Amino acid sequence: MVAIVSTVAYLGLEARAVEVQCQIAPGMPGFTLVGLPDKAVRESTQRVSAALTAMGLALPPKRIIVNLSPADLPKEGSHFDLPVALALLAAMGVVDAEQLGDFVAVGELALDGRVIPSPGVLLAAIHASEHEKGLICPAPQGSEARWASGVPVVAAPNLISLLNHLRGIQVLQTPPLGEVETRAGGPDLRQVKGQETARRALEIAAAGAHNLLMVGPPGAGKSLLASCLPGVLPELTPAEALEVSMVASVAGTLEGGRISRARPFRAPHHSASIAALTGGGIKVRPGEVSMAHLGVLFLDELPEFQRQALDSLRQPLECGEVTVARANAHLTYPARVQLIAAMNPCRCGYMGDPALACSRAPRCGADYQSKVSGPLLDRIDLHVEVDPVRAVDLALPPPSEGSVQVAARVAQAREIQAERLNATKARTNAELDGDLLEAHATPDEAGRRLLMQAAEAMRLSARGYTRILRTSRTIADLAGAGQVTRIHVAEALSYRRRAPVG
């Protein structure tokens, strides 16, 4: 007899169906697991054996073979422990194999028989929902699994309680739905003094999900401005929140089944590697650019990052996804992020102040800024100089407008974009391209002439030209204008630096 239990293998944000097939046959006693498992999966034989021993069950003195089908699909992770154990118990006649056919099982086993959390339960629940099956998962992740609509969830704290539930002796309670977290806290824009140009650029960036680069000396408020951005961004829609939570689930960071409506804000240290930013590693996991999906990726001290690491972001910033290539598989993660970057004008940071600048100024500034490649800078829509704040500015009362007022204008602009792009896959002006860009962002005749003159004088690339149009459309939306005009184009051009030659 061959007992079969359904589970999944994770390829990026895709859950692939896997059959755990167990056969107990005469022969030399042994426990063999095949089907292209990685080290963590191969070790499940030891964890399953120990868990069954803790329950008072001994493995039969026969040849036990477990096959993970399809055999050519790579299997990674500890979540195969529970389906392997259930398939073995079904082959031993302890549980009904036919009853297990109605479920997808995921979960790691402790040596004492406890079912402990493993990454990706939300993806497994969605997969079970699509195939009209229930889900057996660890008890701490039951609330997470409930977010998949219409899935009967069996959240088991340990193997004994799960067996009792399947036999009808002790019914496990349906776990509650996970909590929904609203807007995350953060600094208010009222704390920012004397930076009107930077505040305006931040508002435009928030309204259209544009990339923003702030250049200024230390202490000018660049990091404060960036940390204020989550407070002015609109909350995620329910569909977007589920999309973001799927990334968090496969990364193992979705705690307690809580889904957040606040947009992600990730700020990796400048020592981050390519794998940390874009994903990868020995056991492939989403990188920071995917963890910030539909939110903000803040890179402070931009030139201090490794050049190769920064250039690895060029493709995700352009197409909104990142593909991690491996010899046996290609994993794709979503990466539709808003890049906010900050940097000093030079290594010492005071190139614009003769009293504080080093002896190599302005040469040091050119050398320092050249660490960031031209193609990456070309992908940043708004470039703004953040001037040092004077003591007299700090002594002034806070600005009359804070995050609440700016967030209201941003939300109104986002609503205009949502209505305009309702029938398309685009969400914001930053994603306008092709026919959509031509239909909605073409300026009037005066604006077109100004843009043509600026494109020639500033030597704009085709990408730079497109991003000017996108930014102009956002500025027009903030003003409530249906047509992009010369004044909107002029402001967009003021935030655009000349692209480096080559």
Side-chain angles (χ1 to χ4, degrees):
M1 171 186 173
V2 176
I4 298 176
V5 174
S6 296
T7 186
V8 294
Y10 303 119
L11 293 180
L13 291 193
E14 180 186 3
R16 293 275 189 92
V18 172
E19 278 191 357
V20 180
Q21 306 163 353
C22 181
Q23 182 185 63
I24 300 178
M28 185 71 67
F31 192 168
T32 306
L33 193 150
V34 297
L36 207 58
D38 73 343
K39 186 174 179 60
V41 182
R42 287 197 301 269
E43 291 173 347
S44 68
T45 58
Q46 303 300 319
R47 292 189 292 272
V48 169
S49 300
L52 295 185
T53 301
M55 294 172 54
L57 293 175
L59 294 180
K62 296 183 179 181
R63 185 185 180 197
I64 301 171
I65 302 177
V66 174
N67 177 44
L68 305 178
S69 176
D72 61 346
L73 179 69
K75 320 296 190 308
E76 295 182 351
S78 59
H79 66 279
F80 288 98
D81 289 3
L82 184 57
V84 168
L86 290 175
L88 178 56
L89 290 170
M92 293 168 60
V94 178
V95 294
D96 184 5
E98 186 175 347
Q99 184 182 11
L100 290 175
D102 297 330
F103 291 93
V104 172
V106 291
E108 181 181 337
L109 287 179
L111 299 184
D112 58 0
R114 287 177 295 115
V115 184
I116 57 181
S118 61
V121 165
L122 181 57
L123 274 70
I126 294 174
H127 171 85
S129 175
E130 293 172 348
H131 291 78
E132 298 182 348
K133 291 185 176 183
L135 180 74
I136 300 175
C137 68
Q141 294 179 300
S143 298
E144 175 183 339
R146 283 287 311 281
W147 285 109
S149 61
V151 177
V153 177
V154 178
N158 50 62
L159 263 181
I160 293 178
S161 63
L162 176 58
L163 294 182
N164 290 337
H165 174 85
L166 294 173
R167 291 173 174 177
I169 300 174
Q170 178 188 0
V171 178
L172 293 172
Q173 297 297 318
T174 300
L177 193 64
E179 299 178 359
V180 178
E181 296 180 348
T182 54
R183 187 182 298 277
D188 193 282
L189 273 173
R190 287 174 60 86
Q191 299 180 27
V192 180
K193 299 181 179 181
Q195 298 290 5
E196 295 305 319
T197 302
R199 281 170 57 104
R200 172 63 175 172
L202 192 74
E203 180 177 340
I204 296 170
H210 300 289
N211 301 328
L212 170 66
L213 172 65
M214 295 177 285
V215 182
K222 303 184 296 295
S223 298
L224 176 60
L225 281 161
S227 60
C228 289
L229 184 57
V232 301
L233 290 173
E235 291 184 343
L236 295 167
T237 65
E240 289 175 337
L242 185 62
E243 194 175 335
V244 170
S245 298
M246 288 171 64
V247 180
S249 176
V250 78
T253 60
L254 195 62
E255 298 180 359
R258 291 188 297 272
I259 285 186
S260 176
R261 295 287 296 274
R263 295 186 179 271
F265 183 87
R266 307 288 295 190
H269 190 261
H270 57 73
S271 60
S273 64
I274 295 178
L277 285 179
T278 60
I282 298 176
K283 189 175 180 180
V284 181
R285 284 289 181 266
E288 292 291 333
V289 71
S290 295
M291 297 298 294
H293 178 56
L294 298 180
V296 177
L297 177 64
F298 176 47
L299 302 184
D300 201 5
E301 308 296 346
L302 187 66
E304 299 297 336
F305 284 81
Q306 300 175 32
R307 173 117 182 207
Q308 288 183 327
L310 287 180
D311 285 343
S312 70
L313 296 175
R314 286 154 53 176
Q315 182 255 353
L317 289 176
E318 196 69 25
C319 65
E321 63 181 22
V322 58
T323 300
V324 181
R326 290 291 183 268
N328 54 5
H330 285 63
L331 307 182
T332 300
Y333 296 105
R336 181 64 65 185
V337 300
Q338 181 177 1
L339 175 65
I340 305 297
M343 60 184 289
N344 295 330
C346 61
R347 182 168 293 280
C348 72
Y350 300 102
M351 186 174 67
D353 189 342
L356 298 175
C358 65
S359 59
R360 295 188 63 246
R363 178 64 181 175
C364 66
D367 293 342
Y368 188 67
Q369 295 187 30
S370 65
K371 293 183 177 181
V372 184
S373 68
L376 179 63
L377 291 174
D378 202 30
R379 286 167 167 82
I380 299 179
D381 308 67
L382 296 98
H383 302 249
V384 61
E385 299 286 340
V386 183
D387 297 325
V389 182
R390 301 174 301 171
V392 65
D393 294 325
L394 296 175
L396 294 174
S400 58
E401 278 195 346
S403 294
V404 174
Q405 292 77 17
V406 175
R409 291 197 295 269
V410 169
Q412 187 175 6
R414 288 282 185 114
E415 288 174 4
I416 294 173
Q417 295 168 53
E419 184 177 352
R420 178 190 301 134
L421 304 174
N422 185 40
T424 70
K425 294 182 179 180
R427 295 183 175 98
T428 61
N429 288 335
E431 300 175 44
L432 290 177
D433 206 356
D435 293 339
L436 280 177
L437 186 70
E438 184 176 350
H440 301 297
T442 300
D444 60 11
E445 184 59 29
R448 191 191 67 81
R449 286 198 303 269
L450 176 62
L451 183 56
M452 292 297 101
Q453 295 169 3
E456 190 69 25
M458 300 171 68
R459 300 181 64 183
L460 292 178
S461 65
R463 182 185 294 112
Y465 179 89
T466 297
R467 290 182 179 272
I468 290 293
L469 288 178
R470 293 171 178 171
T471 306
S472 302
R473 179 65 267 177
T474 299
I475 295 171
D477 287 341
L478 283 170
Q483 171 74 46
V484 176
T485 65
R486 179 185 174 91
I487 191 171
H488 305 136
V489 174
E491 184 174 3
L493 287 168
S494 70
Y495 297 115
R496 189 76 189 178
R497 64 187 286 173
R498 177 172 174 166
V501 178

